Amino acid sequence: MSTHSLEGKKIIVTGGSRGIGAGIVKYLASKGASVYFSYSSNKESAEALLKDLPGSGHQCFQLNISDSENVESSFKQILGEMGQVDGLVNNAGITADQLLMRMKEDDFNRVLTTNLTGSFLCIKMVLKPMMKARKGSVVNITSVVGQMGNAGQANYAASKAGIDGLTKSAALEVASRNIRFNCVAPGFINTDMTGALDDNQKQQMFDRIPMGRIGDVDDVASAVAFLLGDESHYITGQTIAVNGGMYM
């Protein structure tokens, strides 16, 4: 059996059509999982990714995680088609950066509702089938800024710190049912977003990272795969930081 083998496991990934989410979807599929991943609006990117995934049994679906009715209806359909759910990766999220004194209340609430409440809504949908099966693993994608804060991202940092508390509380509630909750907190990762930075901005990032480089999406995805797999069966309520030593 290969390292982090996920053969036979069926896993849902939210926000899986681009960036870190797409990297997670590809990695999980390469380890043998059947991956059901959501997109919010970029259907073409999601379908292109779906065609390129190794293995079989994959599916993409539209999801608005800030809409409780949409989450309920979408998950009911997907869970019915899956037949079983072994893992959930809460990756979907948004940003609306601004200095706190200039931040609009709507932007603060929108980020909290999408990132934190959205994760809560998705978790609620998988808990019942996981409890019935007496097994499951939920991995919530947080962020280094949820641990250390970041100027101009009070709303985003608060949402990610909130997910950390949500994860620990959920872990305590369902550990006896063999259901595990953990977080992966990425630092600066090489995506389209960081690729758009100029050389000066990138150098400022490197200067903050002891390892002197930014991470790749597979660095995050391999940590997620480990927490979803059977090798991590005694790990729950934890956060794995994937940040090159930026925050310890």
Side-chain angles (χ1 to χ4, degrees):
M1 184 178 288
S2 62
T3 303
H4 302 349
S5 174
L6 298 172
E7 290 288 342
K9 292 189 182 294
K10 296 184 178 182
I11 299 167
I12 299 172
V13 180
T14 67
S17 63
R18 59 188 177 87
I20 290 175
I24 292 171
V25 169
K26 291 176 187 176
Y27 196 94
L28 299 183
S30 75
K31 296 301 178 182
S34 294
V35 188
Y36 297 71
F37 67 96
S38 78
Y39 62 91
S40 62
S41 58
N42 46 346
K43 184 177 181 180
E44 289 185 5
S45 296
E47 291 182 339
L49 173 61
L50 183 63
K51 290 179 181 178
D52 288 340
L53 293 179
S56 60
H58 313 301
Q59 187 174 327
C60 64
F61 62 102
Q62 194 279 333
L63 180 68
N64 177 5
I65 61 169
S66 64
D67 183 332
S68 59
E69 292 184 358
N70 182 249
V71 171
E72 183 174 0
S73 61
S74 296
F75 266 78
K76 280 184 176 178
Q77 179 179 342
I78 289 298
L79 289 169
E81 293 173 6
M82 292 174 76
Q84 71 183 65
V85 57
D86 300 290
L88 167 68
V89 181
N90 275 312
N91 171 73
I94 62 170
T95 59
D97 298 349
Q98 183 58 271
L99 293 175
L100 188 59
M101 64 182 295
R102 296 176 184 167
M103 187 176 290
K104 296 178 180 178
E105 183 179 350
D106 180 62
D107 284 339
F108 186 86
N109 289 334
R110 185 162 55 90
V111 171
L112 265 290
T113 299
T114 302
N115 299 358
L116 180 54
T117 306
S119 296
F120 158 76
L121 294 171
C122 295
I123 287 168
K124 283 198 72 174
M125 293 305 300
V126 302
L127 265 186
K128 186 174 287 186
M130 283 184 176
M131 290 180 76
K132 186 175 181 180
R134 299 190 74 87
K135 64 176 182 176
S137 176
V138 176
V139 181
N140 296 319
I141 306 301
T142 56
S143 171
V144 66
V145 305
Q147 299 173 308
M148 63 184 285
N150 196 35
Q153 289 194 306
N155 48 5
Y156 184 75
S159 72
K160 294 299 186 178
I163 292 172
D164 187 70
L166 170 65
T167 300
K168 286 179 168 59
S169 299
L172 286 168
E173 291 185 13
V174 297
S176 64
R177 299 295 186 98
N178 197 35
I179 302 168
R180 301 179 294 110
F181 277 78
N182 293 287
C183 294
V184 171
F188 287 119
I189 303 299
N190 189 21
T191 62
D192 292 341
M193 187 182 300
T194 53
L197 300 175
D198 61 36
D199 289 341
N200 183 54
Q201 289 172 316
K202 287 181 181 179
Q203 188 58 53
Q204 289 179 349
M205 265 199 286
F206 296 157
D207 291 343
R208 298 173 65 185
I209 303 170
M211 293 189 76
R213 59 181 175 83
I214 60 176
D216 293 320
V217 291
D218 277 359
D219 295 323
V220 179
S222 61
V224 172
F226 170 66
L227 291 172
L228 289 169
D230 296 334
E231 296 97 329
S232 60
H233 65 94
Y234 200 52
I235 299 175
T236 194
Q238 305 302 309
T239 296
I240 295 181
V242 185
N243 63 29
M246 182 179 171
Y247 180 80
M248 302 184 190

